[in-house]
Amino acid sequence: MKIAVADLDFELQIPYAQLEKRTKELAKQISEDYEGRSPIIAGILTGSFLFVADLVKNMEIPVEVTFTKLASYFGGTSSSRKIRDDFDLTIDIKGRHLILVEDIVDTGNTLHYLVDKLRVREPASITVCTLLFKPKAIEVSVEELKYVGFEIENEFVVGYGLDYREQGRSLMGIYRRIG
Ligand code: 5GP
């Protein structure tokens, strides 16, 4: 089924049932890996807000949840490679286990910037969990990337938190651009 978001057409790629199932698997894996610890889950806004909510709902360990906000697409359909830092983490991460949660890793530039920025605050560890990963688009590898929901082609997607021109975030599924 074809849908329009602003001036572009999209089709369903990953239905919500699959997102939900995979998110539960990731939550279980993270809960096992961090058993006995209480990590900080730091969502990278805006795109990760639904994924963070579904992920923490299914965790079996105590977690703290916080957010930071970065932007890199600025209304287009490809990375500008410029990162705007909108707001910082407010929790002290020194000595804590930090799990950064992304909606999608594309070129890797955003994560690389963020991991470098946070490392100087001396967390005990940093790992990254992303719902989507475009391996063919990667320009800067991010060794902290440990948890990946789905690998996708180098195509522009919206839905489940991801936008095109601030629209499409509430779609309950991942939709890829067609045409
Ligand atoms: P990177 O710095 O890895 O190139 O880009 C990461 C950010 O770019 C993501 O957090 C997301 O905001 C945006 N982005 C990358 N690919 C897509 C995409 O296919 N769709 C949307 N809506 N945003 C994307």
Side-chain angles (χ1 to χ4, degrees):
M1 193 186 66
K2 192 171 93 169
I3 59 155
V5 176
D7 58 348
L8 297 180
D9 290 330
F10 293 83
E11 67 180 9
L12 184 61
Q13 182 179 10
I14 311 174
Y16 183 64
Q18 274 184 44
L19 297 175
E20 199 179 25
K21 181 169 175 282
R22 184 72 187 120
T23 303
K24 283 184 180 164
E25 289 169 1
L26 289 170
K28 189 166 184 291
Q29 196 187 335
I30 294 170
S31 301
E32 285 169 10
D33 293 352
Y34 287 81
E35 203 187 340
R37 292 179 279 178
S38 175
I40 296 172
I41 305 288
I44 304 168
L45 292 172
T46 306
S48 73
F49 76 106
L50 291 175
F51 179 46
V52 170
D54 281 347
L55 195 65
V56 300
K57 275 195 291 198
N58 289 290
M59 295 256 191
E60 293 154 13
I61 52 168
V63 291
E64 281 178 48
V65 183
T66 188
F67 290 94
T68 181
K69 188 169 191 303
L70 299 169
S72 69
Y73 260 45
F74 308 114
T77 61
S78 66
S79 176
S80 67
R81 288 170 189 75
K82 289 197 193 86
I83 297 159
R84 195 182 63 208
D85 219 320
D86 283 353
F87 62 76
D88 202 351
L89 291 181
T90 50
I91 294 184
D92 181 9
I93 59 170
K94 187 167 182 173
R96 303 289 309 275
H97 296 285
L98 184 65
I99 304 173
L100 299 173
V101 180
E102 258 284 30
D103 51 356
I104 186 163
V105 177
D106 182 21
T107 63
N109 280 298
T110 304
L111 269 184
H112 192 259
Y113 165 85
L114 188 60
V115 168
D116 267 7
K117 183 177 104 168
L118 297 177
R119 200 178 275 128
V120 296
R121 299 183 197 171
E122 300 174 8
S125 66
I126 305 182
T127 56
V128 176
C129 173
T130 186
L131 177 68
L132 304 172
F133 177 43
K134 295 183 189 172
K136 290 181 184 150
I138 201 84
E139 292 173 3
V140 194
S141 68
V142 183
E143 65 185 42
E144 291 79 5
L145 184 56
K146 185 162 179 203
Y147 305 100
V148 174
F150 298 87
E151 289 193 357
I152 63 168
E153 287 300 311
N154 199 359
E155 293 172 319
F156 183 70
V157 293
V158 295
Y160 192 55
L162 290 110
D163 75 308
Y164 171 56
R165 297 191 179 167
E166 292 302 328
Q167 292 181 43
R169 294 193 195 277
S170 57
L171 292 166
M172 290 313 280
I174 296 293
Y175 289 74
R176 69 186 176 95
R177 186 183 173 187
I178 49 173

